[in-house]
């Protein structure tokens, strides 16, 4: 079974703090993704990576950056957290040539 | 217009009922389609892929109508454990040419005893 893990299930941060969300997958997948999920808006793609050190912007990259130094790990960084970044953050991975994605359990981030 | 549109529901049905959800997509070049299931406060999980010829997996049947650009999911003999949000998912191509999945906002199903 594919296993995608995220560093925290719940996180509370203050406005202006730098926030790191970590994601690790154990299936040697090339592609990894960061989404946020908000009521009524569904999942929206923030960034994705198709290889180590490679990244591409998704639909809503503003206020976020990412890092992929190792194949199994994909980090999402909020440089200066704001209250409108309060959301559920989901990481996913996908193998090369496949369409289906496998998700981690999510991190519920609250910025106060 | 959203790329993938679903009726948010909720659909409240009794155990044993048959229920159907539809989903419409706007990108006619989309090639792959999926239904994901998401339980409350959990991550989405792949339920089934949707093939052009239609496909069935136990009590679940998925259909694709390319001409009208909609996908359907039929659940027969509903169980309490089917209560969840069902996400319609379509593959699309980003401006860079890379593939990405576009998710609908989901349809909530509540099966009642």
């Amino acid at each position: 079974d594919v296993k995608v893990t995220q560093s925290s299930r719940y996180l509370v941060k203050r406005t202006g703090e730098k926030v790191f969300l970590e994601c690790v997958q154990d299936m040697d997948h090339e592609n990894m993704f960061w989404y946020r999920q908000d009521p009524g808006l569904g999942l929206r793609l923030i960034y994705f990576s198709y290889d180590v050190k490679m990244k591409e912007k998704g639909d809503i990259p503003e206020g976020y950056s990412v890092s992929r130094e190792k194949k199994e790990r994909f980090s999402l960084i909020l440089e200066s957290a704001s209250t409108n970044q309060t959301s559920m953050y989901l990481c996913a991975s996908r193998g090369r040539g496949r369409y289906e994605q496998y998700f981690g359990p999510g991190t519920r981030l609250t910025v106060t | 217009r959203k790329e993938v549109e679903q009726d948010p529901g909720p659909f409240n049905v009794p155990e044993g009922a048959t229920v159907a959800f539809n989903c419409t997509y706007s990108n006619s070049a989309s090639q792959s389609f999926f239904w994901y299931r998401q339980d409350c406060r959990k991550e989405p999980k792949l339920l089934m892929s949707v093939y052009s010829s239609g496909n069935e997996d136990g009590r679940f049947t998925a259909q694709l109508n390319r001409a009208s650009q909609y996908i359907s999911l039929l659940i027969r003999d509903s169980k309490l454990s089917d209560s969840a949000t069902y996400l319609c998912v379509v593959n699309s191509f980003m401006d860079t040419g890379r593939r990405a999945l576009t998710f609908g906002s989901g349809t909530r199903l509540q099966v009642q005893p």
Side-chain angles (χ1 to χ4, degrees):
Chain A
D1 268 0
V2 176
K3 195 159 171 78
V4 181
T5 56
Q6 295 183 227
S7 50
S8 307
R9 292 300 301 272
Y10 300 93
L11 210 50
V12 179
K13 295 291 182 181
R14 292 191 183 278
T15 301
E17 278 193 80
K18 190 167 186 175
V19 182
F20 293 87
L21 302 182
E22 301 278 325
C23 174
V24 177
Q25 50 94 6
D26 67 356
M27 284 302 292
D28 203 35
H29 283 171
E30 288 77 14
N31 302 280
M32 296 187 74
F33 306 82
W34 274 107
Y35 296 89
R36 62 178 283 178
Q37 186 174 30
D38 301 287
L41 297 177
L43 276 83
R44 294 179 292 166
L45 182 64
I46 304 171
Y47 265 99
F48 73 100
S49 169
Y50 52 91
D51 204 347
V52 175
K53 296 192 188 295
M54 307 303 285
K55 61 186 180 187
E56 281 197 29
K57 294 179 180 179
D59 299 318
I60 51 163
E62 296 78 21
Y64 303 95
S65 61
V66 290
S67 172
R68 189 148 179 222
E69 297 297 317
K70 292 186 178 181
K71 191 174 186 180
E72 67 271 18
R73 189 179 298 269
F74 191 34
S75 302
L76 180 70
I77 303 148
L78 286 66
E79 296 290 341
S80 177
S82 62
T83 55
N84 63 13
Q85 292 178 309
T86 291
S87 186
M88 168 70 90
Y89 289 87
L90 288 156
C91 174
S93 74
R94 170 170 67 82
R96 190 192 301 274
R98 310 288 298 182
Y99 286 104
E100 62 270 25
Q101 295 182 10
Y102 297 88
F103 285 85
T107 296
R108 191 167 290 278
L109 172 67
T110 302
V111 183
T112 61
Chain B
R1 182 186 170 190
K2 286 185 183 176
E3 286 191 53
V4 179
E5 294 208 56
Q6 298 181 249
D7 181 343
F11 284 58
N12 294 303
V13 303
E15 270 186 291
T18 294
V19 61
F21 311 133
N22 284 338
C23 159
T24 58
Y25 60 95
S26 60
N27 185 348
S28 59
S30 298
Q31 295 183 344
S32 299
F33 309 89
F34 307 89
W35 284 101
Y36 276 69
R37 171 195 168 125
Q38 186 172 24
D39 293 295
C40 189
R41 296 187 176 276
K42 295 287 185 81
E43 72 274 22
K45 292 186 178 176
L46 179 66
L47 178 66
M48 60 196 301
S49 303
V50 186
Y51 302 121
S52 297
S53 54
N55 48 300
E56 192 173 302
D57 183 2
R59 297 181 293 108
F60 298 83
T61 301
Q63 301 244 318
L64 167 65
N65 184 319
R66 284 190 187 274
S68 302
Q69 293 181 210
Y70 79 79
I71 306 145
S72 64
L73 178 68
L74 181 81
I75 306 175
R76 289 181 298 278
D77 189 22
S78 299
K79 312 290 184 194
L80 295 176
S81 57
D82 293 334
S83 298
T85 297
Y86 292 84
L87 306 176
C88 174
V89 184
V90 175
N91 97 292
S92 55
F93 289 89
M94 307 186 75
D95 292 342
T96 55
R98 297 205 176 267
R99 286 178 287 128
L101 295 182
T102 302
F103 289 78
S105 300
T107 297
R108 194 155 70 88
L109 171 65
Q110 185 67 47
V111 181
Q112 293 161 342

